[in-house]
Each structure stands twice: as C-alpha cells, then as structure tokens.
Amino acid sequence: MSAADGQKIAMRGAGYYSANTVGAKYVIDKVGDLVIEAVARMPRLADGLPFAIADFGAADGGTSMDMMRRLIGAVREREPNRAISITYTDLPHNDFSTLFRLSQGLLGTSTEAPLAETPGLYIFGSGTSFYRQILPDNSLSFGFSATAMHWISKRPCMIADHVQAVGASNAEREQFRAQALRDWETILLARARELRSGGRLALANFCIDEEGRYLGHTTGADMFDSFARHWRDLLRTGRINEAEYVNATFQQFYKTPEEFAAPFRDPASPVSQAGLKLETMFTMVTPCPYAEAFRTHRNAGDFARAYVPTLRSWSETVFANALDPARPPSERSAIIDDFYGAYEADVAQAPEGHRMDYVHCVTEIVKS
C-alpha cells in the first residue's frame, strides 16, 4: 500500500465493538442532553415530511442506540405522528448485519422493545463514507456522529517511527494536519448540502484539548506510545519486517478546538458561505470505565483482560492489515494475538498507569 492509499478502516465485527467499547457509549450518553435540547430548538417540518436522522460512522450502531431512543422520543413528544427515518452510515465493509440485528432485538440484552419496532420509524443503512454526500439535498433534519471523524480520508505520508500522528515527526504531523483540515471542510460541505434549513448536527469528535490531552493520554502511560513500543518489539525480534512496521500508520488525526472552529469563524469560508453556523462547542473528558472499575476491584489481571479488548475493538484492523498479505492467515492471526497479548501482560504488570480516557470536542452546528 502506498502512502496515498486509503487504509481499510473497520471496527471489529460480530458485536465485538459495542460489547467492548463501554466508554464510547458513555460519551454518547453524555451528549444526549445536548441532542434533546437541540431538537427542541428546531422549527417544525411541513406536513408530510419525515424527520430524517443520520448517524455518520455508526459502526454496529450499538453505542448510539439508547441515544437514538431519546432522540426519537423528543421528536414524538413534539409531533406524535411524525414519520421518522434513521440512516446509519459507515464504510462498505462495516458490519451492517450486526447493526440491523441489534436494531431488531436479535442481539444484545436490552429489556426495551427493539428500536426497529417503533411505529412510524424507518431504518436504513448506507455503506458510504462521510467524505461524500450520502443523503439528498435539503433532506436531513438531524445529523449525529461520535468518535468517528478523526479517521481521515487518506494517509498523506507514512510515519517512520511511530503509529499515530501524535508521535510523528513535525514534518509528518504537518502533512496529517493539512489533510485533516481539508477533510473537515469536505465533511461539513457534504452535510451542508444534506441538511434542511434549520437542521442541526451534533458531533463528538476526538481532539487534543486545551490542556494537551487526547485519547489515552491524560495521565500515566501514553496509549499510542505503548502501541508503537509493542509493535516495534515485534520488529526488533524479527516477527515483522520494516515495511510492516511502517504500514501500521493510523489514518487518523486529532484536531484542536481552534481547528474545529476555524471554518465557522471566517465568514468568507466555503463552510460559512454554505450556511453552517457553530452554535456550541466544548471539550470533555470521559474517564476510562475499565480503569475506574480497577480503582475499586484492584485485580490487575481482570483489568488487563477487560481493558485491552476495548483497544483491540478499533485498532486491530490497522495492525492486521499492516502485515504482508502473503503471510498465511494463521501466522498473521498469531502475530496479532501476540501483539495484544504483550500489551495485556504489560497492563497486568503495571496497571496504575494505563487508562483510555476519551477526550472529545463536542460541536452543535445549525444550517441557516
């Protein structure tokens, strides 16, 4: 894969992602109040039009399902008979089968009626990147996305001695920043075309906050440094080669709040000219639920066995796809298992420093 090629991005499937990303659900639940308040400020639609919702980068849909119930309830409280649609979007190789089974109550342990059984609710899936327009012009009432838009459209270069832009050289990081800023404008312009006048977006994106904190870097061990160290150990021992080491460059970038806000602060920018306005922006840190639980139970082994799978749920495809496809599948699987096994042993041995606190920039955007 060349530096300009897109990386295959996917969360681990078969329900693994939702089952092992409790923190991601906590983030969405925290943003739920903002979503409900935003709906209350929206103008009523003309008769006969559906209230169209989209979840951009939904993965298997499990982490946002409770928030969607709240959103639907807020719409129905104002307009009991309004038809509602939800379009779940993600990349073509996303596990949409699990998403539809979760929505229909065929997976999971929810005691509530399946989301798909809500009267007058119509659920769709779109295997289309949020870097493209997904819905027709002027059709979207409310767009939502959480913990997804840090994945950029392509890797502008490879990172020579780390796995993520937070640990890249200055020159490498600047290439990632430039790509991420272009991508942010692309995302916003696509949403501007989709949104109705008065429609809103609520987005919770990973960021580097005002104190320099980011995912897995709030205190103690830096998660991405740990990834890089264990991946480098495989190179040092000959388990992987140099090309495979470098190819585990995450197609990600964490923007600052200022970078998120910049397109809205320039009245001449394409985003402002498209009618989008930034109404609310704040950062928040959501504590790692596994590290918080460890503070109570104090069992290092249990913590490591619970914590590392949440990292694996979203990172495994990066490392697995970095390996030479000519390797036998069993060999590739063994390397990946050993990689995460080493990380788990590291956590079990020195648990105090490990935690994956979520650091988000939350934005509420309205189309005039």
Side-chain angles (χ1 to χ4, degrees):
M1 179 182 290
S2 71
D5 286 336
Q7 191 173 50
K8 182 179 178 181
I9 300 165
M11 305 303 102
R12 192 167 180 181
Y16 187 97
Y17 177 74
S18 285
N20 289 282
T21 51
V22 176
K25 183 183 184 305
Y26 288 175
V27 169
I28 293 173
D29 290 346
K30 287 172 69 173
V31 177
D33 288 344
L34 179 145
V35 169
I36 302 309
E37 292 167 5
V39 169
R41 292 193 295 272
M42 294 178 65
R44 292 180 183 272
L45 296 174
D47 291 344
L49 294 177
F51 189 97
I53 301 166
D55 186 344
F56 297 100
D60 64 22
T63 54
S64 67
M65 206 153 289
D66 286 343
M67 192 278 293
M68 286 296 174
R69 294 180 195 277
R70 291 189 66 192
L71 174 52
I72 292 164
V75 174
R76 285 283 164 77
E77 186 175 341
R78 299 176 73 202
E79 301 181 272
N81 299 315
R82 177 71 64 182
I84 301 172
S85 68
I86 303 176
T87 301
Y88 287 100
T89 85
D90 214 299
L91 295 174
H93 41 264
N94 182 58
D95 186 6
F96 283 100
S97 174
T98 292
L99 189 156
F100 292 130
R101 283 183 286 163
L102 282 169
S103 71
Q104 295 182 33
L106 302 177
L107 282 177
T109 58
S110 176
T111 58
E112 298 188 61
L115 187 67
E117 292 183 6
T118 305
L121 173 66
Y122 305 90
I123 296 177
F124 306 95
S126 177
T128 307
S129 166
F130 47 58
Y131 289 109
R132 295 170 53 190
Q133 183 172 345
I134 299 171
L135 301 165
D137 287 358
N138 305 308
S139 66
L140 178 63
S141 297
F142 198 92
F144 177 79
S145 184
T147 316
M149 292 175 177
H150 59 291
W151 293 100
I152 58 179
S153 63
K154 65 179 182 179
R155 296 183 289 191
C157 66
M158 306 305 280
I159 297 173
D161 195 29
H162 207 270
V163 296
Q164 217 267 7
V166 294
S169 69
N170 289 338
E172 292 165 344
R173 191 179 304 112
E174 286 308 309
Q175 291 188 64
F176 272 81
R177 174 178 285 107
Q179 183 64 54
L181 297 182
R182 288 192 296 269
D183 284 349
W184 180 227
E185 180 177 282
T186 297
I187 288 171
L188 293 172
L189 292 178
R191 306 293 80 80
R193 292 189 292 272
E194 295 165 343
L195 282 168
R196 303 180 187 277
S197 177
R200 291 178 179 264
L201 301 172
L203 310 176
N205 286 304
F206 281 145
C207 72
I208 297 179
D209 74 2
E210 299 86 348
E211 297 181 29
R213 298 174 296 186
Y214 54 83
L215 178 74
H217 177 78
T218 52
T219 184
D222 182 292
M223 179 189 66
F224 283 110
D225 285 352
S226 297
F227 275 145
R229 175 166 53 84
H230 287 294
W231 196 240
R232 194 179 296 113
D233 284 345
L234 292 175
L235 173 63
R236 180 177 51 80
T237 58
R239 293 289 301 281
I240 63 174
N241 59 43
E242 182 70 28
E244 291 171 317
Y245 175 79
V246 173
N247 206 29
T249 292
F250 278 72
Q251 193 171 310
Q252 299 178 346
F253 187 80
Y254 298 155
K255 294 185 289 296
T256 65
E258 291 74 18
E259 289 166 340
F260 279 111
F264 304 96
R265 291 176 174 164
D266 177 4
S269 75
V271 170
S272 294
Q273 291 295 306
L276 294 187
K277 297 180 180 179
L278 179 63
E279 283 208 346
T280 304
M281 183 177 73
F282 59 89
T283 60
M284 66 180 191
V285 176
T286 304
C288 173
Y290 305 100
E292 292 299 294
F294 171 66
R295 294 174 63 181
T296 300
H297 65 66
R298 306 305 298 172
N299 186 309
D302 285 351
F303 168 49
R305 285 186 291 273
Y307 174 68
V308 172
T310 197
L311 277 59
R312 187 168 184 167
S313 69
W314 54 267
S315 65
E316 180 174 353
T317 56
V318 174
F319 294 106
N321 291 324
L323 298 175
D324 188 339
R327 290 181 182 269
S330 59
E331 182 181 346
R332 282 182 277 145
S333 294
I335 290 172
I336 296 303
D337 286 343
D338 289 348
F339 170 69
Y340 287 104
Y343 202 141
E344 184 176 311
D346 190 16
V347 174
Q349 183 175 5
E352 295 291 349
H354 292 275
R355 55 187 302 122
M356 191 181 76
D357 294 335
Y358 289 74
V359 184
H360 282 84
C361 181
V362 178
T363 51
E364 182 187 350
I365 299 162
V366 62
K367 181 179 178 181
S368 60

